[in-house]
Amino acid sequence: MTQTLAIFYGAYRNLNSRKLFWISLVISALVVAAFAMVGITDRGLKIITWEIESHVLNTRVMEPDVFYKMIFVEVGIGVWLAWIATILALVSTAGIFPDLITSGSVDLYVSKPMSRARLFLTEYLAGLLFVTLQVAVFSLASFLVIGFRGGAWEPGVFVSIPLVVALFSYLYAVCVLLGVITRSTVASLLMTLLFWFGVAMIGAGEQGVLVQIKYEEHKVDLSQMFVVSGDGVTAHQTGDKPKPKVEKVEGESRGEASRGLKQAHRILYGIKTVLPKTGDTVELLRRSLISLAELPDQSHVPDQRFRAAQRDFQEEIENRSVAWVVGTSLAFECVVLALAAAVFCRRDFS
């Protein structure tokens, strides 16, 4: 146990000595400071003394605490922690295992009465410590801003700590596997970012197909919503009545397109199930802090079918269970970690 703590503390000191750790903390402080400078009034937004009128973002549409929770989720978590800070963390931690292997330090550790498996897990957990400290500090600062500026002390903000750490761990496990195989920090980092990009594209594609299915179910014609004729009259207001034969052909075409969309969605959903779900993990945090009832309605959108399709889409996303989002992602991580540990434990590093 003493050896494990010593290795863990040594890895922590190594991370602590890297400039990116402190750069990330400084940027987090700046993000929270900018977060605190934005206010909401009955007319719109207020940034320090600069006022911006808005018909959507004002206290007549949403409460101040909902506004600050939205900023925290969409900007603080969705942009900063889930993307920028995660990339910085990967850059900082990608070299842990390649450096351990290539520097010869691993020989010193394995010469002691310590198993390679324990050494592997200790170094892996030390890498997760980087993000844990970053998210904990950011969440605490955001909790105070939402409390003082929004008037609501929301302990649910701290759910971001395990969720963001889980999100990072999905990617870090891949980075560790590539690191012990290639022994290269740059190669493992670039391939991990490429993997992340691929996962994000699959997730975006799955949701894009799903929202299109909802449009088809509610017979939403986006072209008719936005196409305007030269005299300013929308296309669906021209009064032209299609012939029954044309309606039949269009109906058959729509049915085939709908079946094709559902088949594509089943394929993308199946692929997504076995992969880590980074975007859906962030969505869990939004669900835990903000309900659909608290969000501004879409009464400004004239097409009721469009609003209904959007509502069905959001409800289906919100009905996805934590077990599916996090559980299957952690299962993927465990498989990848097991492979990485097997390579680390059996490989000759001489």
Side-chain angles (χ1 to χ4, degrees), residues 78 82-83 86-87 90 167 170-171 174 191-209 268-269 271-282 313 317 320 324 329 332:
W83 285 98
T86 299
I87 292 174
L90 284 172
L167 184 153
Y170 311 154
L171 302 172
V174 174
M191 286 190 287
T192 301
L193 293 177
L194 183 62
F195 170 79
W196 187 9
F197 177 78
V199 167
M201 289 300 98
I202 291 173
E206 183 269 331
Q207 291 199 4
V209 173
L268 289 172
Y269 187 84
I271 296 173
K272 189 174 177 179
T273 298
V274 300
L275 292 175
K277 286 154 280 293
T278 54
D280 292 85
T281 301
V282 175
F313 168 75
I317 294 296
R320 293 180 174 178
W324 182 79
S329 299
F332 170 88

Side-chain angles (χ1 to χ4, degrees), residues 107-163:
D107 295 329
L108 177 62
Y109 286 122
V110 298
S111 64
K112 299 178 180 180
M114 170 182 284
S115 67
R116 286 193 177 193
R118 187 166 62 158
L119 173 62
F120 175 86
L121 290 176
T122 302
E123 293 286 347
Y124 177 76
L125 292 175
L128 296 183
L129 181 65
F130 183 99
V131 170
T132 303
L133 293 175
Q134 297 282 340
V135 181
V137 171
F138 184 83
S139 298
L140 177 60
S142 299
F143 173 76
L144 296 175
V145 170
I146 294 174
F148 286 114
R149 295 282 284 161
W153 299 96
E154 185 60 66
V157 166
F158 295 104
V159 175
S160 62
I161 298 176
L163 286 180

